Amino acid sequence: MSERTGTYDQQWRTELEATLNHEFEAQTTRLTELTADTGDPAEAHTNAALIAATRQSLDQIAGALRRLAAGGYGSCERCGTDIPRERLEILPHARFCVSCQQKQNG
């Protein structure tokens, strides 16, 4: 077990994993619906943007699930400090603490 066991208890992690899996399934369904060809060229541009956003969301969720499985979830990828639980509850796929995210955004 990692040092964050006390900060991120097992029940919270289990619930988070279930939520992330549910969201992944929902986004996968959405992507399938968006990629169905409606034959309407007017929808093509809008759908392209929605497809890109959905794929990005899927990538973020998959990354969070990988970090959970590997034991690195909740640790900033830049500085290694714990990401506050409150931030993770709002943004479960967060990879950086607030300070490092601000630096990342420049």
Side-chain angles (χ1 to χ4, degrees), residues 11-100:
Q11 180 180 352
W12 181 76
R13 292 171 59 87
T14 300
E15 290 171 3
L16 173 67
E17 186 173 11
T19 299
L20 287 168
N21 278 315
H22 176 74
E23 184 61 24
F24 189 87
E25 290 172 17
Q27 292 296 322
T28 300
T29 300
R30 181 173 189 224
L31 185 60
T32 301
E33 292 168 357
L34 288 170
T35 55
D37 187 8
T38 63
D40 185 352
E43 289 183 15
H45 182 68
T46 302
N47 276 359
L50 291 172
I51 288 168
T54 303
R55 285 185 174 146
Q56 180 180 13
S57 180
L58 281 167
D59 287 345
Q60 291 171 335
I61 295 165
L65 287 167
R66 280 191 300 274
R67 289 189 300 279
L68 265 171
Y73 184 82
S75 180
C76 178
E77 290 183 8
R78 178 177 265 182
C79 70
T81 62
D82 286 350
I83 299 172
R85 182 171 168 164
E86 295 80 14
R87 176 168 170 74
L88 294 171
E89 287 174 352
I90 294 168
L91 194 64
H93 61 269
R95 296 172 37 215
F96 305 105
C97 65
V98 173
S99 176
C100 288

